Amino acid sequence: MLLKAEIIAVGTELILGQIPNTNAQVISQALQEIGIDVYYHICVGDNKERLKEVFQTSFKRSDIIILTGGLGPTEDDLTKETVAEYLNLPLKLDENSLNRMKDYFKKTGRQIANNNYKQALIPEGAIAIENKNGTAPGVLLKYGDKIIVMLPGPPREMEPMLKETVIPYLSKMSTTTIFSRILKFYGIGESDLEERLKDLIDSQTVPTIAPLVGRAGEVTIRLTAKAGSKEEAQKIIRPTEEEIIKRTREYFYGFDNDSVEEIVAKLLIKLNKTISIAESCTGGLLAHKLTNIPGISASFDRGIISYSNRSKHELLNVKNETLENYGAVSEETAKEMAEGIRLSSGTDIGVSVTGIAGPDGGTAEKPVGLVYIGYADSSTVCAQRHIFSGRRIDIKERSANSALHLVRKMLQKLENPSNR
Amino acid sequence: MLLKAEIIAVGTELILGQIPNTNAQVISQALQEIGIDVYYHICVGDNKERLKEVFQTSFKRSDIIILTGGLGPTEDDLTKETVAEYLNLPLKLDENSLNRMKDYFKKTGRQIANNNYKQALIPEGAIAIENKNGTAPGVLLKYGDKIIVMLPGPPREMEPMLKETVIPYLSKMSTTTIFSRILKFYGIGESDLEERLKDLIDSQTVPTIAPLVGRAGEVTIRLTAKAGSKEEAQKIIRPTEEEIIKRTREYFYGFDNDSVEEIVAKLLIKLNKTISIAESCTGGLLAHKLTNIPGISASFDRGIISYSNRSKHELLNVKNETLENYGAVSEETAKEMAEGIRLSSGTDIGVSVTGIAGPDGGTAEKPVGLVYIGYADSSTVCAQRHIFSGRRIDIKERSANSALHLVRKMLQKLENPSNR
């Protein structure tokens, strides 16, 4: 049986456009992977009458209804109350949830407030879902042949509850699997990539082939197949996947949730190499990305954010004459920064970024978006020139991403010298 | 008359979670500014039957229905067809739109394809909306006392059409303005804040008072009033706004789109103070946030990401005995880091972060989430202890945010010594 699901996000802040409904996207992706079709996303405000009307429509047409938001302690929060009322179920205190909430408050050094108690109420017959990152438990309710799930609105609370409890529970009920494989590329545009694969895309049946523009200069392709099991779907996808990678090898860098920072971190650890970072226009973003990966402290020694010329000279030994003759944004400075941080920190690799993130500070000769990435190891010192467009934050993102891809390529050469 | 609107986004890629429904957020914000209430957002796939069912529900309950997506040239694109069929209106060729489409293709050096012709069809009696960034015209249809708007899905096509044509058209019909003021707080929980304001919240009529959990430990309150003009609405909000701030002064930090990094950057520049950063567990995020603000290079000199103990000693002069006796994650190390970066960089202020971001590395005595923030200026050296929960990235976010709020408080004391 094919299960139909829909997602109801509750919150006036959503329909006022104050925050985006990112939860619907995350939940849809997770349901799709376990073969459950999502047919509708709904957003409705914190209004009992309208929520009830929306829930009634969803309850009649779908097998699984996932609600997010409206589980907070305030009077505005009425998701559980409304659903329970519609289904004629009383709300009962869940002792476990209350105890966890008390522990949570104790741990964060705060007092439990009176209105938090209502967060521990769940509809009779429901199972509470533990919330490790907040106070509101989630609710999993089997009602006749329908499943109703209620999760908190904040993504950092919702996502772990979805992945650790809701998806494992629902996947037991689904008999088909939709399996997607994502291939990730860097250094090639969407249309160029599409032209290389035109014959495959034009004649596609199974798997389906969908190119998507990714973030910060990346392009991705999604291959999707439906089958009785994940293994079967993978078997359907594999020949197309291999053909695509064969044709695009120099741009392909990873699968699915691979991130370039994770690939770099794993290569550093695997190859037992240490790294240090000297960054200017990215202002810490490059090191931030790399240090998002657990375990990186084995390889990452230090970073220097040399915003001023003085700090480039004092901390990175960039020569004053280099700064005077070529400027802080130049190939020469990028190289000296990379070599300077490598030598002063005693790491195997040094990487640097210097550029103009804007919105001011550009000239005709050195426009906003001009960025140099430097790289140094014991045998190589080199730099790359880029011109990126967009806002200050986009230029920072693109620059940090480029630096990571440069380090990835250099590490992959070290890992497999014959290959590239 | 109060106009009620809803937004229907059409596209299988939306309900599969492949792309977020950013259009709904943008349209909601624009409608709110002209006093039109949005009550629902719906996403539905490229499926005629389900779209018709959704449209029927919306048509019955709302005055204005804005549809996005499904105006493309392919057989999947059936928004116009479905709406016209439901309303019993024939589709007619719009010559202007066809000519503009031919020009568009000429300009981009491509040939018009046969299936593009259907994009120039619009329901009888409707007005076509010019699309400057793509081929599909939009549709504006007055049907009885209802308004139906159809816009293309890609944001870069949709947004100019919304702002240049749809909003000016709809604003003529609306006689009210909805104005919202957002108050931002740090260092107090949502329920604590609400208890302080309980009498105001319980007796609210105008303006409405809605507390929201913000990101990274922040809480916000939205005050909303409806009036004939923005000025009138502001006048309605002001007394409540002042009363709330009076009661919560020590936690209140900004309005609307204010961010703590922006407030800190402006205070630094205004007070002519320079700053340097020494961070460990945040791995560059603190400096990244501060350097997102244009013009910060006047105040921010440098940052050091001292991931290793060796780098804390070498670059920040943290004493080896401090590291041995108290550990890298301690009040003493945080203070020495802040003072060390201040002295070595010669800036007025030094700020530091050291902690355990996890997921590994915690002990019973020093658990994951334990973070110390240090601060040093010419007269003060101090540190704060925090325990944050969540994933590695959440702990980094909370830590960087805390450090910014600490600097904000210290700068505000400098700015106005009597006040705090």
Side-chain angles (χ1 to χ4, degrees), chain A residues 392-407:
Chain A
R392 185 176 174 88
I393 182 73
D394 301 320
I395 292 169
K396 287 178 78 175
E397 275 286 339
R398 294 291 300 268
S399 304
N401 231 18
S402 279
L404 289 167
H405 278 290
L406 176 56
V407 175

Side-chain angles (χ1 to χ4, degrees), chain B residues 79-213:
Chain B
T79 300
K80 283 184 304 194
E81 292 76 355
T82 308
V83 170
E85 194 178 298
Y86 177 77
L87 299 174
N88 256 319
L89 296 171
L91 288 170
K92 302 228 157 169
L93 184 74
D94 183 65
E95 291 287 347
N96 273 337
S97 297
L98 184 62
N99 290 335
R100 279 199 288 252
M101 209 187 301
K102 283 179 180 166
D103 284 351
Y104 181 86
F105 274 98
K106 204 180 284 172
K107 216 176 91 187
T108 55
R110 290 181 299 150
Q111 282 289 318
I112 190 163
N114 265 332
N115 54 10
N116 286 114
Y117 283 93
K118 95 170 183 117
Q119 296 190 284
L121 298 174
I122 64 171
E124 193 172 63
I127 302 164
I129 305 172
E130 183 179 355
N131 182 348
K132 288 175 184 158
N133 299 309
T135 54
V139 175
L140 189 57
L141 173 63
K142 197 156 168 27
Y143 187 93
D145 54 357
K146 310 271 181 179
I147 308 275
I148 297 147
V149 177
M150 296 178 239
L151 295 171
R156 56 186 287 273
E157 300 181 28
M158 190 285 290
E159 287 181 28
M161 297 162 82
L162 176 75
K163 280 174 192 165
E164 289 162 25
T165 307
V166 179
I167 292 298
Y169 179 89
L170 294 178
S171 68
K172 282 187 207 131
M173 309 178 56
S174 172
T175 52
T176 50
T177 298
I178 303 176
F179 182 76
S180 277
R181 181 77 154 156
I182 291 178
L183 311 184
K184 298 188 158 188
F185 301 88
Y186 182 80
I188 185 168
E190 187 191 10
S191 36
D192 279 358
L193 185 66
E194 226 183 297
E195 284 204 356
R196 284 186 188 222
L197 309 175
K198 195 168 182 342
D199 56 316
L200 297 176
I201 292 171
D202 285 350
S203 66
Q204 65 177 294
T205 46
V206 279
T208 59
I209 307 174
L212 301 167
V213 181

Side-chain angles (χ1 to χ4, degrees), chain A residues 12-20 25 28-29 32 38-45 50 53-54 61 73-76 104 107 110-111 113-116 133 156 159 222 279 282-285 287-288 291-294 296-297 300-308 310-311 314-315 344-345 359 392-393 396, chain B residues 14-20 25 28-29 32 38-45 50 53-54 61 180 182 189-192 194-195 198 202 210 212 222 279 282-285 287-288 291-294 296-297 300-308 310-311 314-315 344-345 359 387 389-394 396:
Chain A
T12 301
E13 67 277 19
L14 292 163
I15 53 166
L16 289 179
Q18 290 175 344
I19 57 168
Q25 187 181 10
S28 280
Q29 285 173 356
Q32 211 218 344
V38 176
Y39 277 1
Y40 310 91
H41 295 171
I42 320 277
C43 286
V44 61
R50 288 195 283 276
E53 171 218 311
V54 159
R61 69 187 172 193
T74 77
E75 284 175 22
D76 267 3
Y104 180 85
K107 211 178 107 190
R110 290 183 297 148
Q111 282 289 319
N114 265 332
N115 54 10
N116 284 113
N133 297 309
R156 60 182 282 274
E159 286 180 29
R222 181 198 307 266
E279 50 188 318
T282 40
L285 177 60
H288 169 51
T291 58
N292 279 344
I293 310 304
I296 190 64
S297 54
F300 176 59
D301 183 79
R302 69 187 68 178
I304 293 203
I305 303 153
S306 54
Y307 233 54
S308 62
R310 190 165 60 89
S311 64
E314 284 176 14
L315 296 171
S344 67
S345 64
R392 185 176 174 88
I393 182 73
K396 287 178 78 175
Chain B
L14 292 164
I15 53 166
L16 288 179
Q18 290 174 347
I19 58 168
Q25 188 182 9
S28 279
Q29 284 173 353
Q32 211 219 342
V38 175
Y39 278 2
Y40 310 91
H41 296 171
I42 320 276
C43 286
V44 60
R50 287 194 285 275
E53 171 218 311
V54 159
R61 69 187 170 192
S180 277
I182 291 178
E190 187 191 10
S191 36
D192 279 358
E194 226 183 297
E195 284 204 356
K198 195 168 182 342
D202 285 350
L212 301 167
R222 185 184 59 233
E279 51 189 316
T282 41
L285 176 59
H288 169 51
T291 59
N292 278 343
I293 311 303
I296 190 64
S297 54
F300 176 60
D301 184 79
R302 69 186 68 177
I304 292 202
I305 303 154
S306 54
Y307 232 55
S308 62
R310 190 164 60 90
S311 64
E314 283 176 16
L315 296 170
S344 68
S345 65
I387 301 220
S389 62
R391 302 161 299 175
R392 185 176 174 89
I393 180 75
D394 300 319
K396 288 178 78 175

